[in-house]
Amino acid sequence: MSTSKSTSKSTAKAKPILIVSGVAVAAVLFGLVSYTATKPTSPGASGSSSVAEVSADPSAGVYAELEAYARRDPADKLALGRADAPVVLIEYADFKCGYCGKFARDTEPALVKKYVEDGTLRIEWRNFPIFGEESEGIARASWAAGRQGRFWEFHKAAYAEGAKEKGFGKERLTALATEAGVPDLARFAKDSDSAAAREAVRKDQEQGYALGATSTPSFLINGRPIAGAQPLETFTEAIEAAAKAAPKAPKASKKAGQ
């Protein structure tokens, strides 16, 4: 009995260590990829300077421990797609980030149409404000819009071409909420300044830093780190590899007599 208990305790201790090790390795990778994706571009270049390579091997570059960062909460207002989708893309982003806006306008709509609508992909947003007070303010405002079911409409308005250049002061946040169709603006203002909003943003931000994200946007696709506004093909390859590797959902059994 004592030997069995000892083995059980050792196993229980080993699991958290393995998870921490996996996160540490990913943090190093995220830091490296984040630097590469945002280092100065050559003259005349535009967009992200790095193209992430996605291996044909579905397990290459994937850290199984990091799949647990997907919340899969059906009540999550900052998520899009089925909670039981085989692939979850987590995005750590800042509304003042130009590359995040590029992803939101040029790449994300295609992913939604191709993968979210057919149930393959779920997108989970994480507020990762890194550009100061306005970043923090609009992160809380986006969460507040989500409280009234208008997060993605607010997201679209905030990432519209030219929106960033107008700044994100309080009056602009109210204007964005109006554009997004947030019904109760008084509640929106109250929620934006609430302790709950600050805590939600802090939680997302700390998770991103723990993973080693040093720039925005940064992504996890079923445990595969990707940094930067990469080309659409990088995301489609990663999503399809993740879908291929995901466990198949059991088919519903037919009732007797059917």
Side-chain angles (χ1 to χ4, degrees), residues 50-61:
S50 167
V51 176
E53 293 183 4
V54 178
S55 169
D57 178 359
S59 64

Side-chain angles (χ1 to χ4, degrees), residues 145-189:
R147 297 280 285 177
Q148 298 187 54
R150 307 300 289 179
F151 169 78
W152 290 101
E153 291 80 4
F154 186 93
H155 173 279
K156 182 178 180 180
Y159 276 137
E161 194 74 55
K164 178 172 71 77
E165 286 68 29
K166 296 178 182 179
F168 294 124
K170 284 196 173 184
E171 289 186 3
R172 272 289 292 152
L173 295 181
T174 301
L176 289 171
T178 302
E179 184 179 343
V182 175
D184 189 336
L185 294 179
R187 179 189 170 190
F188 167 79

Side-chain angles (χ1 to χ4, degrees), residues 13-183:
K13 290 179 180 178
K15 189 173 181 181
I17 291 172
L18 287 173
I19 292 174
V20 170
S21 298
V23 172
V25 170
V28 172
L29 176 61
F30 240 148
L32 175 61
V33 176
S34 294
Y35 166 73
T36 305
T38 57
K39 67 183 180 181
T41 58
S42 57
S46 61
S48 178
S49 61
S50 167
V51 176
E53 293 183 4
V54 178
S55 169
D57 178 359
S59 64
V62 173
Y63 298 87
E65 297 87 353
L66 301 185
E67 289 192 53
Y69 280 76
R71 292 170 183 159
R72 293 187 177 274
D73 179 0
D76 186 355
K77 302 295 187 181
L78 276 60
L80 193 64
R82 291 171 44 174
D84 63 350
V87 183
V88 178
L89 180 154
I90 305 173
E91 179 184 3
Y92 299 86
D94 186 317
F95 284 102
K96 285 177 68 71
C97 162
Y99 286 159
C100 299
K102 179 177 175 60
F103 173 80
R105 293 188 300 272
D106 299 347
T107 304
E108 194 167 43
L111 299 181
V112 171
K113 185 173 182 179
K114 186 171 184 178
Y115 298 111
V116 175
E117 290 181 2
D118 76 357
T120 299
L121 180 68
R122 175 177 175 82
I123 298 175
E124 294 188 355
W125 171 270
R126 302 287 188 269
N127 274 304
F128 193 54
I130 59 174
F131 294 116
E133 188 176 337
E134 280 199 352
S135 290
E136 295 275 353
I138 192 170
R140 295 194 302 271
S142 74
W143 180 87
R147 297 280 285 177
Q148 298 187 54
R150 307 300 289 179
F151 169 78
W152 290 101
E153 291 80 4
F154 186 93
H155 173 279
K156 182 178 180 180
Y159 276 137
E161 194 74 55
K164 178 172 71 77
E165 286 68 29
K166 296 178 182 179
F168 294 124
K170 284 196 173 184
E171 289 186 3
R172 272 289 292 152
L173 295 181
T174 301
L176 289 171
T178 302
E179 184 179 343
V182 175

